[in-house]
Amino acid sequence: MDKIKFIDKEMEPIKTKRLVISDVDKDRAALEEAAELLRSGGLVAIPTETVYGLAANALDPEAAGAIYHAKGRPSDNPLIVHVCDVEAIRPLVREIPDCLYRLAERFWPGPLTIILPKSALVPLQTTGGLDTVALRIPAHPVARELIRLAGTPLAAPSANRSGCPSPTSAAHCMQDMEGRIHAVVDSGNCTIGLESTVMTLCSQPPRILRPGAVTIEMLREILPDVVMDPAVFGETKPGERVLSPGMKYRHYSPEARVILVRGSLAQFLNYLSLQERVDGVICFDEDTGQMPYPYLTLGSQWDANSQAYKMFDVLRMVDREKWNIVYVRVPVLSGIGTAVYNRLLRAAGFTEVLL
Ligand code: TXA
Ligand code: MG
């Protein structure tokens, strides 16, 4: 294979191939092609059960560096390293606490990312200059087979342009990354739809830096003292030091101004009737009968899994509708609903009206 080319400074587009992989047993040629690109240092969007990731060899500083460029990601925002089994973690870290094995047994493969002190094998380009590394074993069979075939851990942030909603389908990846990466693997929609829970074992007590499908209640069954980092629901001030660099950046945002409104449906409708301009709303199925404005729904207000599954697609649709200002009903804050709220809050730049 020729030496891999990356998109250059002048932004000359590169050809992005679409590789359909629906079945790890049948689609071997496409799997091999994606793995060969990864082995040669290329950038490939791959499916996981959470969101699509923009993958490259995590141990190759040039390939990892190219991820930041393709996404337009600040170089101090570290990447998650994906491996296919717990044994593969040993060379990547300086020490493995006992609790890692208990967490792994319960939650891996799955939507949990764990931060540990990194070994010298992991380049600083992969960790955004940090001395720690974020690790995850994804549950998606295509992701695990690609890691295995590539023969190396894969660094993979979400495969969106930095700041945009995360991609939950190959079409989302193409929208953001066509011309900037070598291939997009198409394995259909992600089943969870929002990114993994990120937890650090480098602080005492252990901290959740980003909520996800593995909830704090679930983690407390293994680590009773785990806490939620305060930055999860609060805006960080300029210059403030945060444990997870990703927390200080604007995130998940459509072009539109997003405003969260917390209150009953009656309060929500009353508040909107007082606004000068309402282009559209994001609400729940139960609300639609009474909604006088154009709307997109996240599913039932009692079904947080549906809200997680639909949220990023709905945020992308806001721009397709060309709405300039959109009001959003706040989800119920339990289970994965906490993570849905965290992403909506960031999409809204922390603008929330309490009624
Ligand atoms: O579900 C997911 O986690 C997806 C899929 C592809 O695995 N990946 C993902 O990556 O969401 P990304 O880069 O979009 O989000 C990773 C978050 C960022 O907020 C980053 O700052 C944080 O994890 N992070 C990564 N490494 C870290 C480290 N060593 N210390 C603190 N935070 C870290
Ligand atoms: Mg991301």
Side-chain angles (χ1 to χ4, degrees):
M1 185 175 264
D2 300 340
K3 185 165 169 11
I4 208 94
K5 283 200 192 72
F6 293 117
I7 177 167
D8 60 19
K9 301 232 164 28
E10 289 77 48
M11 298 286 164
E12 189 65 45
I14 52 179
K15 171 141 182 56
T16 303
K17 199 156 184 184
R18 179 168 164 268
L19 297 168
V20 177
I21 305 179
S22 328
D23 185 320
V24 285
D25 295 317
K26 296 199 183 115
D27 299 315
R28 298 307 298 179
L31 274 163
E32 276 299 343
E33 194 171 342
E36 176 55 27
L37 280 167
L38 290 164
R39 282 194 295 269
S40 327
L43 302 181
V44 181
I46 66 166
T48 81
E49 72 281 18
T50 56
V51 300
Y52 274 74
L54 178 52
N57 182 351
L59 305 184
D60 173 347
E62 199 194 351
I67 290 179
Y68 294 85
H69 187 57
K71 274 180 65 89
R73 181 180 179 104
S75 60
D76 68 348
N77 192 0
L79 311 175
I80 296 175
V81 174
H82 298 69
V83 292
C84 54
D85 53 47
V86 183
E87 279 316 297
I89 288 178
R90 197 171 290 280
L92 307 177
V93 299
R94 292 200 297 277
E95 60 200 78
I96 299 192
D98 280 346
C99 66
L100 183 85
Y101 294 105
R102 282 181 282 136
L103 289 165
E105 195 172 326
R106 172 76 195 273
F107 299 113
W108 278 345
L112 176 65
T113 295
I114 299 177
I115 298 171
L116 288 171
K118 84 170 189 71
S119 74
L121 194 63
V122 184
L124 288 169
Q125 280 83 350
T126 298
T127 64
L130 294 180
D131 193 28
T132 55
V133 59
L135 298 151
R136 175 161 113 81
I137 304 180
H140 200 295
V142 173
R144 281 217 308 288
E145 185 62 1
L146 280 170
I147 299 166
R148 203 183 63 76
L149 286 176
T152 178
L154 297 180
S158 48
N160 51 291
R161 290 291 284 266
S162 197
C164 295
S166 294
T168 55
S169 68
H172 293 164
C173 298
M174 278 292 188
Q175 271 169 22
D176 281 18
M177 289 298 162
E178 189 161 21
R180 308 179 70 82
I181 64 174
H182 302 97
V184 171
V185 171
D186 186 349
S187 304
N189 290 350
C190 301
T191 50
I192 295 177
L194 63 72
E195 307 89 337
S196 62
T197 304
V198 176
M199 182 179 72
T200 180
L201 294 179
C202 300
S203 72
Q204 204 33 258
R207 265 167 202 255
I208 296 173
L209 304 180
R210 180 176 73 183
V214 173
T215 62
I216 190 164
E217 294 78 15
M218 290 156 78
L219 286 167
R220 280 190 175 148
E221 288 171 26
I222 310 275
L223 293 176
D225 57 344
V226 67
V227 294
M228 190 72 86
D229 193 276
V232 165
F233 297 113
E235 196 164 7
T236 50
K237 294 175 196 75
E240 190 176 332
R241 190 174 168 272
V242 291
L243 283 181
S244 176
M247 291 197 288
K248 65 180 186 238
Y249 296 111
R250 187 182 135 104
H251 252 118
Y252 316 119
S253 303
E255 296 287 312
R257 221 176 121 211
V258 179
I259 297 168
L260 296 198
V261 184
R262 189 195 291 245
S264 66
L265 177 61
Q267 288 171 318
F268 181 83
L269 291 174
N270 183 49
Y271 177 78
L272 264 53
S273 71
L274 304 171
Q275 305 311 306
E276 232 167 69
R277 175 170 180 174
V278 180
D279 293 345
V281 307
I282 297 176
C283 63
F284 303 112
D285 288 351
E286 291 82 356
D287 309 336
T288 58
Q290 295 175 63
M291 195 54 67
Y293 309 101
Y295 63 79
L296 293 164
T297 112
L298 295 172
S300 168
Q301 66 177 312
W302 308 117
D303 184 355
N305 290 328
S306 148
Q307 294 158 27
Y309 182 79
K310 290 187 167 177
M311 178 185 52
F312 285 131
D313 191 48
V314 162
L315 288 175
R316 280 174 184 259
M317 274 196 263
V318 164
D319 285 337
R320 248 173 286 150
E321 298 287 342
K322 303 218 168 5
W323 293 344
N324 288 316
I325 180 156
V326 59
Y327 291 88
V328 186
R329 290 208 63 204
V330 170
V332 176
L333 300 187
S334 63
I336 198 174
T338 306
V340 174
Y341 173 63
N342 165 268
R343 307 306 192 272
L344 289 172
L345 203 54
R346 278 163 198 279
F350 292 89
T351 316
E352 181 176 16
V353 179
L354 305 176
L355 298 174

